[in-house]
Amino acid sequence: MLVRNKSSKIIGINETSILPGDTQKVPEGYEKNPVVLKYIANGTFAVVKPVKSAKNEKTQKDPAEGTKKADDNQGAGEEQDTDGVQGQQAGA
């Protein structure tokens, strides 16, 4: 499971350190850990959907999905990785 640290603190899980704003894979066996689940529930962690490769999408694409708009692709309660776009400032 991929999680993004939305807090301003470094969070350590086993030997993995997740910096603020960083996305990391939760160590094996910790997906159901009560502390990890609590961080997800209170918004400290956001579960991030892994980005599928274009090749896999074309082979497994449902014909009905071809009519979806770009706005419809965001899932409820899930965050997409958009660090590159948000980090830019106008006029810089």
Side-chain angles (χ1 to χ4, degrees):
M1 164 187 350
L2 286 175
V3 293
R4 172 167 296 162
N5 181 355
K6 295 178 74 177
S7 74
S8 60
K9 305 285 185 182
I10 299 171
I11 297 176
I13 302 173
N14 202 8
E15 294 180 2
T16 303
S17 294
I18 306 175
L19 301 174
D22 194 20
T23 302
Q24 292 283 334
K25 185 176 186 303
V26 174
E28 197 170 308
Y30 282 83
E31 293 88 0
K32 302 292 182 185
N33 183 291
V35 175
V36 172
L37 296 176
K38 179 72 173 180
Y39 282 162
I40 292 169
N42 72 13
T44 302
F45 282 162
V47 177
V48 179
K49 274 176 45 174
V51 179
K52 295 181 182 179
S53 68
K55 185 176 182 180
N56 287 343
E57 283 186 19
K58 288 181 182 178
T59 58
Q60 298 176 359
K61 190 173 183 180
D62 185 21
E65 288 184 9
T67 60
K68 283 188 174 182
K69 296 179 184 176
D71 294 340
D72 294 341
N73 290 337
Q74 293 180 349
E78 295 178 348
E79 187 170 307
Q80 293 182 354
D81 194 2
T82 58
D83 285 341
V85 176
Q86 292 177 345
Q88 299 175 357
Q89 293 181 342

